[in-house]
Amino acid sequence: MSSSSSSQLFGRNLSQALRPVSLSRPLPQRVAAVTDTKKKTNGKAKPVPMELIRVDQQKAAAETEILRKIAYQVGVDAESVTAQQAYQGVAWTVRERLIDAFNKTQAYWREKDPKFIYYLSAEFLMGRTLTNAVNNLGLEGEFGEAIRKLGYSLEELQSQEQNASLGNGGLGRLAACFLDSIATLSLPGWGYGIRYRYGMFRQGLENGYQSESPDYWLTNGNPWEIPRRELAYKIGFYGSVQQGKWVPDEQVYAVAYDNPIPGYGTKTVGNLRLFDCQPMSEFKLASFNEGKYSEATDAKRKAEDISAVLYPNDATEYGRELRLKQQIFFVSAAIQDTLARFKKTHKDMKELPSKACFQMNDTHPTIAVAELMRLLIDQEGLKWDAAWDITTKSLAFTNHTVMPEALEKWPVKVMAKLLPRHMEIIEKIDSIWKDSLRAKVTSEVGSQPKQAAPEKAAEATKEAAAEPPVDPVEAALAKYSIITENPWEKGVKLVNMAFMATIGSKSTNGVAAIHSEIIKETIFKDFYELSPEKFQNKTNGVTPRRWLAYCNPGLSKLITKTLGSDEWISKTDQLTGLKQHADDKAFQKQWRSIKLENKQRLADLIKSKTGISVPTNALYDVQIKRIHEYKRQHLNMFSVVNRYLEIKAASPEERKKFVPRVVIIGGKAASAYVMAKKMIKLVTSLGDVINNDPEVSDLLKVVFIPDYNVSLAETIIPGAEVSQHISTAGTEASGTSNMKFQMNGCLIIGTMDGANIEIAQESGKENMFVFGVDAKDIGRLREERKNFKVNDPRWEKVMSFLTGNTFEQGLFQDLVDNVNDMSKANDWFLLGNDFTDYLRAQDEIDVLYKDQDAWTKRSILYTASSGFFSSDRCIDQYAKEIWDVKPCPVPSS
Ligand SMILES: *Cc1c(COP(=O)(O)O)cnc(C)c1O
């Protein structure tokens, strides 16, 4: 049979198969289905209305397609559908539109061959996709109508979708916002990461403590990914180096899954390529036949472990081999994938930096330095210097924290065992690097007095007798070294990944102005002095689509109406146009009524998640973020205790003066972080006491919303009136939820830390509730804290309340000791120093809230001045100042 007749035959069959389901079904049955409610598949199923069943094939494409998907993809008789089935039908239909645009974009880019940005990140906290895809693709009209006819709303269907929680917190969500902006700006770019089968753990509460359960987010399948089973890369582990080349002991496959990323207001659809780990062979049949079942499937299980779970740590890293395996796994696959595509159209590897830039999101992907070197030398046959030139021109590095425990340092022993060739390369990089500095360091050391005072020198000689003499030049070079000695464990050598990243890349950036200054003065001080031009700032941003336009449709509509167009959604500078309405009483009233609707939605959410009823006439005060001592949720709770005690001490007449407040906390604690878990217990215990005390009635409520994630944030943020970003100055690199709240007109109480500083600049510091000590004083204050006494009687009252008989004996003793017993700890995060000023700022909040017009005016000003914090602005800066990647929009025709 010729190929043309075969395709004709296939075409005929296909066209028959593509007849809309509604036309192939007898009507009487349908009528019965609509009227007979007992036939519903379960209580939640809704009958499919007649007009949808008798759909006109020509004019109702989306409706027909959705029905077809329900019938043939979901595989249910489409007489009545549950929300989950309707979601599946809609999602699989949207998927096709998405893939059409995706294929066109990728084909266009293949043809044009522009320079690409590859965003390497161990985490992508994507959340849900349906609403974002429908809206970004401009399908809301057509699909909204079809969904309504099915008896649902887009919001209802979206709530059926599992969150893709492949990240811990801010860092992972940043990567997700960046993908949205890269596509929106039509920048040729892909994300690369791991397709974890289990994402961020699900958080529950047991007796007020955090409980953790695995997040199997793929239960219902994933309509948003395209498996590329034919695209698999070999990843090696262990083994040895023979004749300069690596012979791994163990190998697995990295199998690609594409997740199309639709841009807003463009035909561009980018890509997030995630890798799943698969064994080279299913199992050892011989062992299986001998009855050794577990041995037979051992390799398979071990391979599958690699992409099994996201490490549930935030700012606390545990040096475990599996984590390093995950890192090399996705980084190697990403680079191999990129080189394979590059080589299809280019012969000379030297052109790589003009076609590809890899942005390393924190230290997790920084093994890329050694991996790119290895591939260029061992596989492509380049000489060391040529490979180094290409590597350092193709990589860029983002630092996300100065907290020492979050700066990855891998034991040389672990690295050498798992990745012997990489370790060799790292040693060579380190040695060449130090050689390049030796002359400079020698002259510096030479210019300093070499000899110690005679008596000290004699002592030193005695002490040093057992050890070989230290060469002063070598000693001075140590501060630049990638390979360092573990200060806590003599003789144990570590690979400093942040140093390797800085040395091996063209730029290092921080994520907010203050943070980018701090890294130049602290962790990268010596590197900054060597090459200041390498250091940059890129203040974070968030996508205004997800975090304003889609999560707050009420406000979004008002903004569009007021500004006369919806252009602000991609040109957020236009939000400044709201400023001229900030004093308009009628406008303020509309603004407030939208906030009230959003508060009602939040109150409903709280009721459904916790059973707690909260009044909507109270001030909604929100702190949602990872639970951490540096983020100081306990400081928030100290103020809650103080408020509680003040209400209790007041007379019924005086109580009328209090502004009712609902304090809402959400966030996960790293599983091994004992103090963070105790902080959750503090919130829930206070909630138990306060929410059930008739004396405070509705004046104060404390709510912990469990399992904080992206989609909860999308409901919580629009309903918040004040939000707390109260980290010890100098500890929060940027923060991004502060930006989300600002966009939604939520006032901020915060320290001069991270991006709060820039938010204050944009919105006016006088409009923010600013408190606390300055970052530049932290070092000194930490030293002085030992002898520091909090000069505020309220502090003592709060401490006694927490250790008194309201709670189980000793329950919060450790938490209190940490901040209050200077013989045991030194209040590292300086709660004592900031307590009084924090309460002052809290009082200011109450005062302003009583003047609703003044409050609303500020709220409008926040939204109006949030334009700078769009991730579009941030990505535009990365593209121009680091990546040198230019937009390559798909033409409309
Ligand atoms: C934005 C976001 C974060 C980051 O919050 P910060 O307050 O900046 O730490 C964390 N988790 C989720 C789910 C987010 O959406």
Side-chain angles (χ1 to χ4, degrees), residues 505-688:
S505 63
K506 61 174 172 176
S507 104
T508 294
N509 74 282
V511 291
I514 182 183
H515 170 239
S516 297
E517 288 308 310
I518 290 175
I519 63 174
K520 293 194 285 193
E521 290 156 11
T522 58
I523 47 176
F524 297 126
K525 182 172 186 288
D526 301 314
F527 296 88
Y528 172 66
E529 282 164 8
L530 289 176
S531 20
E533 73 289 349
K534 257 189 165 180
F535 287 80
Q536 300 204 29
N537 171 243
K538 294 287 164 281
T539 299
N540 281 167
V542 300
T543 169
R545 271 72 65 183
R546 183 176 296 264
W547 296 114
L548 178 53
Y550 307 155
C551 74
N552 198 341
L555 198 63
S556 177
K557 216 184 272 169
L558 177 63
I559 294 170
T560 297
K561 195 180 107 200
T562 308
L563 298 180
S565 106
D566 64 3
E567 272 184 26
W568 61 271
I569 298 175
S570 52
K571 298 188 171 72
T572 48
D573 289 348
Q574 294 184 6
L575 289 170
T576 50
L578 294 171
K579 280 186 187 161
Q580 66 186 96
H581 305 278
D583 280 310
D584 178 342
K585 296 284 181 248
F587 186 72
Q588 289 177 356
K589 211 172 145 211
Q590 294 180 64
W591 193 269
R592 258 199 308 276
S593 81
I594 291 161
K595 183 59 84 182
L596 185 62
E597 282 167 26
N598 291 331
K599 284 171 72 178
Q600 185 62 58
R601 279 204 294 160
L602 175 50
D604 294 344
L605 176 87
I606 292 170
K607 181 76 188 171
S608 78
K609 297 276 174 194
T610 68
I612 300 168
S613 300
V614 295
T616 50
N617 71 343
L619 191 171
Y620 282 17
D621 166 348
V622 173
Q623 189 179 18
I624 44 174
K625 45 184 82 243
R626 289 299 296 257
I627 310 292
H628 208 294
E629 285 164 282
Y630 88 80
K631 291 180 185 274
R632 302 199 294 190
Q633 283 90 355
H634 44 351
L635 181 60
N636 183 351
M637 289 304 105
F638 293 173
S639 138
V640 164
V641 169
N642 178 62
R643 181 177 295 266
Y644 175 62
L645 296 176
E646 283 182 355
I647 295 172
K648 298 272 283 180
S651 68
E653 202 47 41
E654 288 167 330
R655 280 182 194 157
K656 289 186 187 141
K657 287 189 297 191
F658 282 89
V659 175
R661 219 195 259 224
V662 177
V663 181
I664 298 156
I665 310 281
K668 292 173 184 172
S671 7
Y673 192 170
V674 175
M675 189 50 71
K677 289 184 156 178
K678 186 56 75 70
M679 287 159 70
I680 292 176
K681 176 66 175 169
L682 175 64
V683 178
T684 55
S685 303
L686 286 173
D688 286 345

Side-chain angles (χ1 to χ4, degrees), residues 125 169-170 173 547 624-625 631 708-710 713 732 735-737 740:
L125 194 48
R173 183 54 231 176
W547 296 114
I624 44 174
K625 45 184 82 243
K631 291 180 185 274
Y708 173 55
N709 62 12
V710 172
E732 186 77 274
T736 47
S737 80
K740 301 167 193 165

